[in-house]
Amino acid sequence: YGQPDQNWGLGSRPAITMSYHSAETFCKWLSQVTGKKYRLPTEAEWEYAARGGKETPFFFEGNVKDFAEKGFFGRMFGKENDSINNYVVYGKNSKSKTQEPEKMKANPFGLKNMLGNAAEYCSDWYSPEAYSQLADGVTDPKGPASGEEHVVRGGYFKSDIAEVRNASRAATQT
C-alpha cells in the first residue's frame, strides 16, 4: 500500500487533495504505521483546538474587518496584516501554495495552521443549522446523526479572510 494522499503530505507539508474517505483511510493507515490511534476530530474538538482557549474570531488580536482589503487609503492608514500573516497561511500571503508549518507561529495550544494552509475534515455530518439547534450551555455539541456531507473547518492557502476565522465552516462538497 502506498500513502493514500499520493505523497502530497510528505515532509512537513499538509496532506491535501484527498476526499473525506481518503482522509479517513489516511488516519487508519497512519494508525497502523505508528501503532498510535489517529482519527478525524469532531467539529467541536477542531474548534476548541483552533481557538486555543480564546473566544474571538481569531486566537490572536484582530478581527475580519481589520484584515480585509480596504482600498488605497485603508492600506496606507489602516491596521497592518502582520498579526494574521504570522499565524495563518491564506490567499494574501501563500503565493498560491501550501506552506511548511515552521513558517508560522503557533496558537496558545502550540498548534500551527489550524485556520489556514489546508482545510480540514471533521468527522461530524454537516448541517447549516447545526449551531442554531444547540441547547444553551452545551459543552460538547454533537452534529446530526446522518447526512450527505461532512464538516470542513479552517480555510486553505487560497482562502479569503472570512474563511480563516475560528467559526468558519463548510460542507465537503461546497
Side-chain angles (χ1 to χ4, degrees):
Y1 295 107
Q3 283 187 245
D5 71 345
Q6 300 172 7
N7 297 325
W8 280 89
L10 287 178
S12 60
R13 298 238 178 204
I16 61 171
T17 70
M18 65 175 69
S19 67
Y20 178 86
H21 175 73
S22 294
E24 282 189 312
T25 302
F26 185 86
C27 290
K28 289 175 186 173
W29 173 84
L30 191 58
S31 295
Q32 286 179 333
V33 169
T34 65
K36 297 177 182 179
K37 175 72 176 157
Y38 289 90
R39 65 173 174 79
L40 297 174
T42 66
E43 184 172 14
E45 289 169 338
W46 185 94
E47 187 166 337
Y48 178 79
R51 285 185 180 279
K54 307 290 183 180
E55 294 185 19
T56 54
F58 302 104
F59 60 84
F60 49 88
E61 188 176 326
N63 61 53
V64 175
K65 68 179 179 182
D66 290 339
F67 305 125
E69 289 293 324
K70 300 175 189 160
F72 176 75
F73 288 109
R75 285 192 299 273
M76 283 187 66
F77 302 110
K79 278 194 168 187
E80 292 291 325
N81 287 357
D82 288 343
S83 62
I84 195 168
N85 288 332
N86 288 326
Y87 297 102
V88 181
V89 175
Y90 70 112
K92 296 291 182 197
N93 67 2
S94 70
K95 299 178 184 166
S96 295
K97 61 183 177 180
T98 61
Q99 299 297 315
E100 295 178 346
E102 56 270 8
K103 295 185 179 192
M104 308 313 284
K105 292 182 181 179
N107 77 4
F109 289 169
L111 302 170
K112 294 181 177 183
N113 289 321
M114 291 286 294
L115 301 180
N117 211 23
E120 300 165 10
Y121 291 117
C122 295
S123 60
D124 293 334
W125 291 104
Y126 179 81
S127 169
E129 296 86 29
Y131 280 84
S132 65
Q133 296 173 349
L134 291 178
D136 287 342
V138 173
T139 57
D140 188 17
K142 304 289 185 233
S146 63
E148 294 183 19
E149 302 296 336
H150 286 275
V151 175
V152 176
R153 296 297 298 260
Y156 73 113
F157 63 92
K158 290 186 178 179
S159 292
D160 66 24
I161 293 293
E163 296 170 325
V164 297
R165 60 189 176 82
N166 288 319
S168 179
R169 59 192 302 268
T172 50
Q173 296 297 315
T174 58

